[in-house]
Amino acid sequence: MNQRWFARLRYFLRTAWSGLRESPVTGSVSVLTIALCLLLVGSFALLVANMERILDRFGEEFRVSAYLEDDLAEADLAMLRERVAAAPGVDRVDLVTKEAALERFRASHIGRAALLEGLEENPLPASLELVLAPEHRNAAALERLVGAVGGLPGIAEFGYGADWVSGYHGAVTLVRGVAMVIGAVLVLATLLIVTNTIRLAVYARRDEVSILRLVGGSRTFIAIPYLLEGAVQGLLGGLLGLALLVTLFHLALPVFSGSLELLLGYVSPSFLELRACAGLVSVGAGLGVLGSAAALGQGRLGG
Amino acid sequence: MKHLGVEPAHAGAGAMVRLFHVSKSYLAGSWALRDVSLELGKGEFVFLTGPSGAGKTTLMRMIFADERPSEGQIIVLGRNVSRLSPSAVPALRRRIGVVFQDFKLLPRRTVEENVGLALDVVGTPPRERRARVFAMLKRVGLQHRRYHHPLSLSGGEQQRLAIARALVNDPEVLLADEPTGNLDPDLTLEIMDLIADAAARGTAVFVATHDHGLIERYGRRVVRLEAGELAEDTPIRRPML
């Protein structure tokens, strides 16, 4: 029995290989179509992945500053610090004294010492810096935190980029949604093109299909080599699309590095993770198999 | 019923093909076959004859389940073709060898691959496949052409190739539509001997032919169709030469 399965497998592989060699034009069209589709889908995935990465990095560095009233007593400060540390979502609380705040200001404004000239005393307030747990680094959690500790005596005001966080989160969600819709449309369009391309190949070999039926070939026996051909074409298309994406990414990076640095700050754009790359190639193989299956379904293979 | 009362040569040996009052109509009121009943036993060799359009090809196509009868029943190798589900057709066809009038060879496959197709379908292991294909090609005198493509062969060679493909799987039923039409007399006899040899090994053989010389020479059972009806069913007259 195993020998028979091995023989059939051998036949399927041999026939699929013959099919690929005999239809180089239709095969190349399928491979290129899948490659271009995946290049576009991959570009969107790359954009979304980098936007999410920026948000993650931002979250890691994100602090909420609770600015303190100037005349806060030591004992009150200690109690306040304890109560703030106990608030939901707070991972750690650091005290930034007035002197430390001034030092930071100086360090971040080198060459602009004139800004501080003429001041008789340090105008910067002391503050408590709240480091948030990762799952609380979003706009809604921030609102909840401010609601919980905002009214505590000794806190003058809060400083955090809630609007920025919320806006950026919305932008990522929007880009991800648009990318998914465009990706789905591209995948469907590619499926249609690949289906029609493979249908041409099936049509060109209709005599062969008919003869296979006459000598007792079942529907599955006839279909498997075509599905294998589709899988190989899809795999090649996926690999080609990925190679194009890598090439374009590395060609475009130096050209836009200045603008990106300005836009993203210290976050440098990076390529898709290995798992996402494998997923992209798998989508290509899947497109090839689905295209073949659809083409065979539209043709008449008989019983 | 148009069975003319002739008992098949191998009656009792188990009928491989049975037709009961079979009719086939493609257009209302016009019959390609009408009320044909006959039996073909194991190892029996039958010439199917009649003028063009008499229904020979239609009858053969119904036996290998390429057509269904409009009326009547066809039992082939114990399966009722009239009621056979589409998924069961391939299994039946693997037990039947067919030589088509137009050969139906795959032009992009080599001679060896064309013959091996019937073995590929049943999953014959590679070593056995190679041996059987080579032996079959040797029997039809095409072993030296095994890596050629059908279009580079002469008409006679293509016909022998078609016969090799039909016989390589040792089918239980062989249907041959004008299998010697393009062959010279010497090759005709060689091919007919091959077919007769298959019958001697138990294959039920139907050979459609216009060649009266061949029919006379072999003296086997003759079924003659005229305008879709069974006009004659004469028994075996003498043993195969």
Side-chain angles (χ1 to χ4, degrees), chain A residues 149-161:
Chain A
V149 299
L152 293 176
I155 294 178
E157 62 176 319
F158 274 97
Y160 60 94

Side-chain angles (χ1 to χ4, degrees), chain B residues 189-205:
Chain B
L189 294 182
E190 280 180 34
I191 292 300
M192 287 307 294
D193 286 347
L194 265 177
I195 293 173
D197 184 43
R201 283 186 279 126
T203 301
V205 176

Side-chain angles (χ1 to χ4, degrees), chain A residues 78 165 192 238:
Chain A
V165 171
L192 277 176

Side-chain angles (χ1 to χ4, degrees), chain B residues 1-3 18-24 31 33-39 59 62 69-75 82 228 230:
Chain B
M1 184 170 168
K2 291 283 168 55
H3 198 292
R18 282 179 179 166
L19 280 79
F20 298 104
H21 304 287
V22 169
S23 298
K24 178 69 185 177
W31 297 94
L33 272 183
R34 185 150 199 191
D35 196 24
V36 174
S37 295
L38 56 86
E39 276 190 18
L59 189 144
M62 285 198 286
S70 306
E71 290 174 13
Q73 307 289 324
I74 300 179
I75 312 294
S82 323
L230 188 60

Side-chain angles (χ1 to χ4, degrees), chain A residues 4 7 205 208 213 216, chain B residues 93-94 108-109 121-123:
Chain A
R4 292 202 178 278
R205 283 186 261 162
E208 184 173 327
R213 285 180 57 208
Chain B
R93 286 184 181 160
R94 286 174 213 151
R108 286 183 292 197
R109 304 288 173 86
V121 167
V122 292

